[in-house]
Amino acid sequence: MLRKETLMPYGPDWEQPTAEEIREIIKVLGMSGSQISVFLGLQDTRSVRRWCSDNKKIPYSAWALLVHRAGYGAIWEEPYQFSPDRWLNMTTSQKNK
């Protein structure tokens, strides 16, 4: 489960997601490392692998795009109000948009 501190606008209250949380989002998305790289405009999959192994911190912008695509909403907007009930009630196809 994702911590609410990772799902907020960038600032002093935002917390870096763990490698486990990054892997969780990628699993929800059902995308490969290569697909994530293309989606984020990365040159290769090394960064994704490093984020997933906790060898490198994921940039906020990349994290925000991944969680948005996973259905968590635009976490960069103020005020952000995450609704876990809304997300849990989504179908798998809605989550993978």
Side-chain angles (χ1 to χ4, degrees):
M1 182 138 198
L2 303 178
R3 295 169 293 133
K4 67 177 183 172
E5 295 83 10
T6 66
L7 300 172
M8 52 185 19
Y10 185 80
D13 294 329
W14 180 72
E15 290 187 15
Q16 184 75 36
T18 63
E20 183 178 327
E21 289 168 319
I22 295 167
R23 289 189 301 268
E24 183 177 336
I25 282 293
I26 291 172
K27 184 177 179 180
V28 167
L29 290 170
M31 297 170 76
S32 68
S34 295
Q35 291 169 319
I36 295 290
S37 296
V38 169
F39 173 68
L40 296 175
L42 304 173
Q43 291 185 356
D44 57 43
T45 60
R46 284 182 289 184
S47 290
V48 177
R49 286 194 309 267
R50 289 176 182 150
W51 300 336
C52 291
S53 64
D54 231 359
N55 289 330
K56 185 177 180 182
K57 296 192 181 303
I58 188 170
Y60 179 83
S61 56
W63 175 249
L65 289 171
L66 292 176
V67 297
H68 184 265
R69 175 110 185 216
Y72 283 86
I75 65 171
W76 56 86
E77 293 180 352
E78 295 268 1
Y80 177 72
Q81 295 179 344
F82 171 62
S83 172
D85 293 332
R86 180 181 156 267
W87 189 82
L88 291 172
N89 291 327
M90 292 172 70
T91 65
T92 302
S93 62
Q94 288 173 313
K95 291 177 184 175
N96 290 331
K97 286 186 178 180

